[in-house]
Amino acid sequence: MSTTRPYSPGDRGPEPSGASGASDGAAPAVGASEGAAAPSVTPGAADGPPRARERHVRTLRLEGESGVVPLARDFTRQALYAWGWLPAATADRRAAADDVLLVVSELVTNACLHAEGPDELRLTCDNKVIRIEVSDRGTGQPAPRTPHRAGRPGGHGMFIVQRLCLDWGVARVTGTPGKTVWAELGAPA
């Protein structure tokens, strides 16, 4: 389902000011150059799988970085390990983690192709849903290509996101250039 709601039903909305999830001493993401693309991690985010009502947030600055798609995938993979999605004990759990990595790749790639590149990747996870947010300065509106033609190259990114996710949409802040494309996937059982 495609939507332009800034947050999906039942979401608690944006974090309050100052709740970026940054922690002291966070190590740079794999593949990140020194002083650039340093991730933010909520305290305790590496303490295993999320427990009831816990919310873990990780943020990666991508603005001005090269190789952002593999950088975003590596960052996401590290978060999935920290949150207990990986290593996967079952095929279903592995498929859920692969879906998250694919959606991250699609959203970051779309920002590269259609929006002058991504500024930031933000991952939020609780015991039920993982939310992926990719911010950019583009003015366009992402949408699945219609009609979808399976044999035609290109243009499948948002169709894939639509098929894999519980929900997705676009959030804009009035008076600020750009947008945040978000997608939510269910946590593995």
Side-chain angles (χ1 to χ4, degrees), residues 33-104:
S33 57
E34 187 174 301
S40 297
V41 182
T42 53
D47 296 338
R51 292 173 288 284
R53 302 194 70 145
E54 274 190 51
R55 200 165 159 170
H56 300 278
V57 179
R58 289 193 175 203
T59 302
L60 176 65
R61 293 291 303 160
L62 296 168
E63 183 178 7
E65 291 293 314
S66 60
V68 293
V69 175
L71 183 64
R73 285 179 64 89
D74 288 344
F75 175 79
T76 303
R77 189 175 292 107
Q78 290 173 4
L80 293 175
Y81 272 100
W83 296 336
W85 287 50
L86 291 173
T90 66
D92 286 344
R93 291 180 67 84
R94 180 67 199 176
D98 287 343
D99 289 350
V100 169
L101 293 169
L102 179 56
V103 171
V104 165

Side-chain angles (χ1 to χ4, degrees), residues 85-177:
W85 287 50
L86 291 173
T90 66
D92 286 344
R93 291 180 67 84
R94 180 67 199 176
D98 287 343
D99 289 350
V100 169
L101 293 169
L102 179 56
V103 171
V104 165
S105 294
E106 293 298 338
L107 295 182
V108 172
T109 298
N110 276 357
C112 291
L113 294 175
H114 306 293
E116 304 171 26
D119 290 337
E120 183 177 272
L121 167 65
R122 180 180 168 104
L123 305 172
T124 307
C125 182
D126 61 24
N127 62 329
K128 293 183 181 180
V129 173
I130 187 166
R131 183 179 176 104
I132 301 161
E133 299 177 14
V134 176
S135 299
D136 62 53
R137 284 170 279 170
T139 58
Q141 180 74 16
R145 181 181 281 174
T146 310
H148 175 71
R149 295 188 184 155
R152 189 171 164 191
H156 302 289
M158 293 312 295
F159 180 77
I160 291 168
V161 170
Q162 181 178 5
R163 295 291 301 249
L164 292 178
C165 295
L166 300 170
D167 201 3
W168 72 275
V170 178
R172 296 184 190 273
V173 176
T174 305
T176 305

